[in-house]
Amino acid sequence: GLPGVAGGPLSVKKFGYGQSNPTYFLQTTGGAQYVLRKQPPGQLIRGAHAVDREYRVIRAVGEAGYEVPAVHLLCEDKSVIGTSFYVMSFKKGQIVDNGLLKLPKEQRKPVMAAIVQSLAKLHSYDPAKLGLLAGEKPFGRMGGFYERQLRTMTRTSEAQVSGSDGQVPAMKRMPELLRLFEANMPEDRSCVIHGDWKPDNVILSDGSDVLPKVLAVVDWELSTIGHPMSDLANLCLPYYLGRLGDLVGYVAIDPVADSSLPTLEEVHRTYCEAARVPYPIPGWSFYVAFSCFRLSVIIQGIAMRVSKGTASAATGSVALQIRAADAMCDLACDMMEEAFGRPSAPSRL
């Protein structure tokens, strides 16, 4: 059972943010506080919303000393509340926006540096030593991350289109983009990755008397064994969005307009120093373009769930989500063409 829970009543409140796994705040009559994460209702795409994987990686990195909430239980018996779920401790702190604009100006660069250093720390862990490669169901595989991701994203997108009963179309430039990715694959590297690394998945101390520090990293649904640059590119997306930020729900970062914001170079240099890898990062355009593509598939998934009435939080119309998905796919295509030229051969995916 949960510490501090002796069979008495629980107060339950659903968090208002998040489109994927519904998340709830639990409090006992004695004041103990927890967070419950569950799968959404309805028919799920194979491999999606895997709360058991979230539980496993949070437990593994937490036991190694990484900043995550303590996890207490995983329940895969769907007769209890209708879906699989897990429970972790509640971490009190502040969650900022992805553009860092909720922070005082003097805190923005130090907070981004702390978030980047926390990312480098995560990437330093050996998946084998964490026990993530062992057992009948390894958490992931070493090597071949982007090849697997491209196949997975292609299957996911196709399933989302077919699962929407004709309401969500395929993204127009996706075949062209897949050809560009296949022709320009980067050097293969492997580590534990978060899979959705951005400031609003990091809980910070309130910073009332000192600079905020990272208290916990949350929302590990997309975590796997993968390429470290996929996390860094996801963090850096707001630098590339411009006016698309409002459409896709991100605040764009523009250090030219606001000098209190860290530059992209500062972010890269901080990561490279903390991770002890060379600067500049070779092949960077591939990584950030892939993050754009992945976000386009995620947005398309939201469109499908909105069309079926199973989105876990209030969101825009199906048409708005379709437009956002296409815009991110277009941005990825433009980045790849500018860096590598136009593709010549059809995609094998």
Side-chain angles (χ1 to χ4, degrees), residues 13-19 23 312-314:
K13 180 180 179 181
K14 186 177 181 182
F15 287 105
Y17 55 84
Q19 294 289 352
T23 306
S312 69

Side-chain angles (χ1 to χ4, degrees), residues 19 246-247 249 299 302-309 311 313-324:
Q19 294 289 352
D246 289 339
L247 181 63
I299 295 171
I302 296 170
M304 182 200 71
R305 292 195 294 277
V306 172
S307 76
K308 299 171 76 68
T315 189
S317 66
V318 175
L320 182 67
Q321 300 297 338
I322 291 170
R323 187 157 64 93

Side-chain angles (χ1 to χ4, degrees), residues 41-255:
Q43 185 68 34
L44 303 179
I45 293 173
R46 180 176 173 268
H49 311 287
V51 294
D52 57 321
R53 287 177 56 83
E54 272 195 75
Y55 173 87
R56 182 179 180 183
V57 71
I58 292 172
R59 182 175 178 178
V61 298
E63 289 176 350
Y66 194 64
E67 293 79 15
V68 287
V71 288
H72 298 290
L73 64 88
L74 169 68
C75 178
E76 298 181 273
D77 182 351
K78 296 182 180 180
S79 69
V80 178
I81 63 170
T83 68
S84 297
F85 68 93
Y86 71 93
V87 177
M88 57 186 164
S89 293
F90 175 72
K91 280 279 190 180
K92 186 176 182 180
Q94 64 171 325
I95 297 177
V96 300
D97 63 293
N98 291 324
L100 306 180
L101 298 181
K102 292 181 181 179
L103 288 167
K105 289 190 173 185
E106 68 273 11
Q107 293 184 0
R108 293 172 184 173
K109 289 187 178 184
V111 164
M112 179 63 92
I115 291 172
V116 173
Q117 289 160 357
S118 180
L119 178 61
K121 179 179 177 180
L122 172 65
H123 292 165
S124 71
Y125 292 117
D126 182 337
K129 291 181 179 178
L130 294 178
L132 294 175
L133 302 180
E136 293 182 4
K137 294 174 64 176
F139 188 71
R141 285 186 286 170
M142 301 292 282
F145 170 73
Y146 278 113
E147 290 88 347
R148 290 194 303 274
Q149 281 287 294
L150 286 172
R151 291 192 294 269
T152 298
M153 290 294 162
T154 301
R155 287 195 305 267
T156 299
S157 181
E158 290 170 350
Q160 289 169 172
V161 171
S162 62
S164 69
D165 298 323
Q167 295 189 65
V168 179
M171 289 180 283
K172 299 178 183 65
R173 295 180 69 187
M174 183 169 148
E176 176 187 355
L177 180 58
L178 293 177
R179 291 196 296 272
L180 281 160
F181 284 142
E182 287 179 341
N184 298 282
M185 297 300 288
E187 178 188 2
D188 201 7
R189 295 165 60 190
S190 297
C191 65
V192 179
I193 63 169
H194 178 271
D196 194 20
W197 190 270
K198 48 195 175 75
D200 68 2
N201 280 331
V202 177
I203 299 173
L204 301 166
S205 58
D206 63 17
S208 57
D209 53 353
V210 293
L211 287 175
K213 63 180 180 180
V214 174
L215 296 180
V217 178
V218 296
D219 198 355
W220 292 77
E221 181 191 352
L222 299 178
S223 179
T224 189
I225 310 300
H227 199 295
M229 288 300 101
S230 64
D231 275 340
L232 185 62
N234 203 61
L235 176 66
C236 293
L237 265 184
Y239 288 91
Y240 297 87
L241 294 177
R243 293 181 179 179
L244 281 180
D246 289 339
L247 181 63
V248 301
Y250 277 59
V251 177
I253 292 179
D254 184 359

Side-chain angles (χ1 to χ4, degrees), residues 257-270:
D258 186 344
S259 62
S260 72
L261 295 168
T263 65
L264 184 64
E265 179 180 342
E266 286 173 327
V267 172
H268 282 199
R269 285 187 180 278
T270 299

